[in-house]
Amino acid sequence: MPSTPTPAPLADAVIRARGLAKHYGDRHAVDGIDFDVLRGECFGFLGPNGAGKSTAMRMLYGFTPRTSGELAVLGMDVARHPRRIKARLGVVPQENNLDPDNTVWQNLLIYARYFGLSRAQARARAGEALELFALDDRRESEIHELSGGMKRRLVMARALIGDPELVLLDEPTTGLDPQARRVVWRTLRELRRQGRTLVLTTHYLEEAERLCDRVVLLDHGRIVLAGRPPELIDRHAGELVLEADLSDIPGRSHGDPLPPVTAAAIASSELDHAWVDGTLTVYGAGMQRWKLEQLFERIPVPEAATRTVRRGTLEDVFLRTTGHALVEGAQA
Amino acid sequence: MTTFDTTLATMPDAPLASAEIDPSTPPDSRIDLRLTRAVWHRNRDVFVRLWKWLLFPNVVDTCLSMLALGFGLGASVSGFGGDGYAAWIAPGLVVCSALFSAGFECSYGTYYRMDKQRTFDAMIATPVQLDDVVLGELFYGAFRGAVSASVIAAIFGAFGLFDSWWALLLPAVCFVSAFMMSTLAVTAASISPMLETLGYWVSFGIFPMYWLSGTFYRPGDFGEPLDTLQLLSPAYHGVALARDAAGTEGATLDGSSLAHLAVLVGIAIVGTWSSITMMRRRLVR
């Protein structure tokens, strides 16, 4: 008799946060958030600047003490066992805080001492890390001789010195050109293949879409949306999106409302839309492609506007979510 | 209005990762001397790499002071024992060179590493905690001060400016004095709003300590209340201890030397506490 297949057990939660908050006086940088990060996944914090991403990240390795809530990393309380936790973490901070007084190779060896590694271990790990990030020919270079992309890769190589289970990356590709960004993405995928858990913050939504299994969107210190990128796109943006840029039409000014005829057509189509900074975006969440194409046809936009129908992205999900947040803010 | 689903942020069914330690394990220690050493080692590596550039100015400056004041001005100064004014100021100049090294390294150097290079941030992302970083900086200041002062002591010794073999203890005296100075300098760095404001530490900290250390005059010649106030000058105790070791004008290591040492250690303890407290206040937020 065939046995009934048992569902695969869920991976364990390497990070568990409940009601996690950081307040600076009246400013609530992180305002009571709940999330779990499972072993082996890539988890993303998205959101605009000042949303609380970096604060949340710094709290994960004990750099910023929490105001309230619970936070367990690798099963331990960050406030109680920061050294034990950090011994198993790799951190890629937002700024490249490489040591300009030392060469590439010394940067890695010195960092290895902070993890209590022996000289032989340090050399082996540093060699592997440089190879993974294609920096082995820059061993003797001074830090100021490296390009922006190389510095970023070296910061990531440095984060691997302690052979971490969990790697925290704060804006890993900010400031990089598209080619350097792709190199970083490739190595991040390699880290996942090695079985490491990744947590990253980004405001590049394409990055989140390509790399993350699960994302949370932060706004004003709160989680406003969470899920798997493809599902979020399907549910909140749709397979196709209509976009019309009215901002450059002569005679219109920045704060003008949507033209009434367009607004009426959208209302009768029952499609959801965002109207932000002179750009109209119409979403077809949950609808089939052919139906959407028909509906979009019936929405008139001024001829001078740039009109495109394209695939839905996380960018749309983001815009739609924060667009609503803005409306709520205006009503309050 | 659409409502957004945030439940997928949590996975309540997933078991919490195993802590691999007993939950009742006491909290991690605030100070780990092995990692303090790793922080010191980082700075020492830079020093070893750049020693020619770092050591030279300090040694030259001090030797020039000896030439101009000890032998130049000293030729017209009377009332300082058999070996003259040069031998009187030699132990003081050695200690003050250690204080200068430590006083600058742990103010400008520390500030630079903390604020401009963000070296501290990089360290704190590893098992190293801020307290280890501060202690590592203090020990480095003491090390640097002792190294440059030892070179100067060797030069002065070669010129026969010390009268006792106990002068071999001068590097140790300089280490303790420089550690004490480092604690004051790191405290200054941790409360300085910007690099430029550290000029106040130089003008109202380092230089007054130098001039009022008793290096160039005989403490006790001021009259009260200045002679009592003199006892409050941290550098004074380092210089007095150094004279006892160097056997200047027949001085010996005795009970009063221990008292000077006790004052230096006392200031160092309070200064270490203030360095750590102020650094935490500045960086942990």
Side-chain angles (χ1 to χ4, degrees), chain A:
Chain A
M1 208 171 83
S3 60
T4 39
T6 48
L10 266 177
D12 54 344
V14 290
I15 301 177
R16 175 154 287 166
R18 293 293 180 268
L20 187 62
K22 179 67 193 181
H23 299 170
Y24 296 101
D26 289 341
R27 193 168 74 81
H28 295 186
V30 173
D31 201 8
I33 59 175
D34 296 347
F35 64 93
D36 289 310
V37 176
L38 302 186
R39 190 179 295 276
E41 75 174 337
C42 178
F43 185 90
F45 282 106
L46 315 185
N49 288 331
K53 306 186 299 280
S54 294
T55 306
M57 205 65 145
R58 286 200 313 270
M59 288 164 94
L60 293 180
Y61 61 97
F63 196 91
T64 294
R66 62 187 178 238
T67 306
S68 60
E70 289 165 37
L71 176 61
V73 176
L74 297 162
M76 292 172 275
D77 184 335
V78 175
R80 215 172 139 77
H81 295 120
R83 289 184 196 274
R84 283 179 170 84
I85 291 170
K86 290 192 292 179
R88 291 158 65 186
L89 277 189
V91 178
V92 177
Q94 200 166 350
E95 287 176 61
N96 287 340
N97 51 17
L98 293 163
D99 192 337
D101 295 332
N102 287 294
T103 63
V104 166
W105 185 242
Q106 284 169 319
N107 257 273
L108 297 178
L109 294 191
I110 287 172
Y111 218 64
R113 278 195 214 122
Y114 304 147
F115 287 89
L117 300 188
S118 71
R119 235 182 134 65
Q121 278 174 317
R123 285 169 174 276
R125 292 259 178 86
E128 283 165 27
L130 285 185
E131 201 172 322
L132 178 63
F133 289 96
L135 287 166
D136 25 359
D137 56 335
R138 302 311 296 253
R139 233 172 235 233
E140 298 309 323
S141 298
E142 298 289 335
I143 299 305
H144 65 82
E145 294 166 358
L146 304 181
S147 69
M150 285 177 182
K151 281 184 189 152
R152 206 67 193 136
R153 268 146 57 208
L154 182 57
V155 173
M156 294 172 76
R158 190 183 67 178
L160 295 186
I161 282 290
D163 192 19
E165 290 160 56
L166 174 59
V167 185
L168 309 178
L169 306 110
D170 198 358
E171 306 274 354
T173 62
T174 295
L176 297 188
D177 61 50
Q179 198 196 345
R181 184 170 300 156
R182 265 159 216 284
V183 175
V184 169
W185 287 348
R186 200 170 61 223
T187 41
L188 289 182
R189 279 193 284 262
E190 174 59 27
L191 295 187
R192 288 206 54 202
R193 263 195 294 278
Q194 296 172 349
R196 302 183 209 269
T197 309
L198 306 184
V199 177
L200 60 89
T201 74
T202 183
H203 54 247
Y204 293 120
L205 298 159
E206 189 196 352
E207 182 163 290
E209 230 173 296
R210 280 166 179 265
L211 298 172
C212 295
D213 299 300
R214 221 146 45 84
V215 297
V216 293
L217 174 57
L218 283 178
D219 201 26
H220 302 299
R222 294 217 172 118
I223 294 177
V224 293
L225 188 65
R228 299 179 176 282
E231 289 166 13
L232 287 177
I233 293 168
D234 276 358
R235 190 160 350 138
H236 299 294
E239 198 178 345
L240 290 181
V241 171
L242 168 71
E243 192 175 278
D245 184 358
L246 280 64
S247 59
D248 289 337
I249 299 179
R252 285 188 63 88
S253 71
H254 204 68
D256 280 354
L258 200 55
V261 51
T262 312
I266 295 170
S268 70
S269 75
E270 294 185 349
L271 291 171
D272 212 337
H273 77 285
W275 172 242
V276 179
D277 288 338
T279 300
L280 167 70
T281 317
V282 185
Y283 306 104
M287 274 190 211
Q288 286 179 313
R289 199 184 173 95
W290 61 270
K291 174 87 177 150
L292 269 176
E293 280 167 351
Q294 281 184 357
L295 285 173
F296 286 164
E297 291 276 305
R298 290 184 214 142
I299 298 174
V301 293
E303 257 180 41
T306 332
R307 176 193 172 111
T308 28
V309 175
R310 54 168 179 76
R311 207 173 64 86
T313 64
L314 265 187
E315 191 101 38
D316 299 310
V317 178
F318 170 72
L319 186 70
R320 197 175 162 206
T321 315
T322 52
H324 278 276
L326 284 173
V327 172
E328 281 160 14
Q331 284 168 345

Side-chain angles (χ1 to χ4, degrees), chain B residues 144-222:
Chain B
R144 232 196 109 170
V147 168
S148 68
S150 300
V151 173
I152 293 158
I155 296 171
F156 289 179
F159 280 90
L161 292 169
F162 304 133
D163 288 332
S164 163
W165 284 102
W166 288 110
L168 290 172
L169 286 180
L170 281 178
V173 172
C174 290
F175 186 88
V176 176
S177 305
F179 190 96
M180 179 277 297
M181 189 67 163
S182 301
T183 66
L184 304 180
V186 168
T187 304
S190 65
I191 59 177
S192 185
M194 49 189 173
L195 193 65
E196 290 73 12
T197 44
L198 277 176
Y200 282 82
W201 158 244
V202 177
S203 299
F204 298 106
I206 296 180
F207 274 99
M209 268 190 253
Y210 174 62
W211 292 118
L212 299 177
S213 62
T215 299
F216 302 108
Y217 54 88
R218 195 187 294 282
D221 283 356
F222 286 147

Side-chain angles (χ1 to χ4, degrees), chain B residues 36-51:
Chain B
T36 295
R37 187 173 183 279
V39 172
W40 168 82
H41 207 155
R42 180 259 165 215
N43 291 340
R44 195 220 59 167
D45 283 355
V46 176
F47 180 77
V48 167
R49 210 172 158 213
L50 303 174
W51 69 271

Side-chain angles (χ1 to χ4, degrees), chain B residues 119-153:
Chain B
T119 315
F120 291 6
D121 292 4
M123 291 171 172
I124 294 166
T126 71
V128 173
Q129 294 281 80
L130 184 59
D131 296 7
D132 307 324
V133 175
V134 173
L135 276 184
E137 289 285 314
L138 297 179
F139 278 111
Y140 175 61
F143 164 81
R144 232 196 109 170
V147 168
S148 68
S150 300
V151 173
I152 293 158

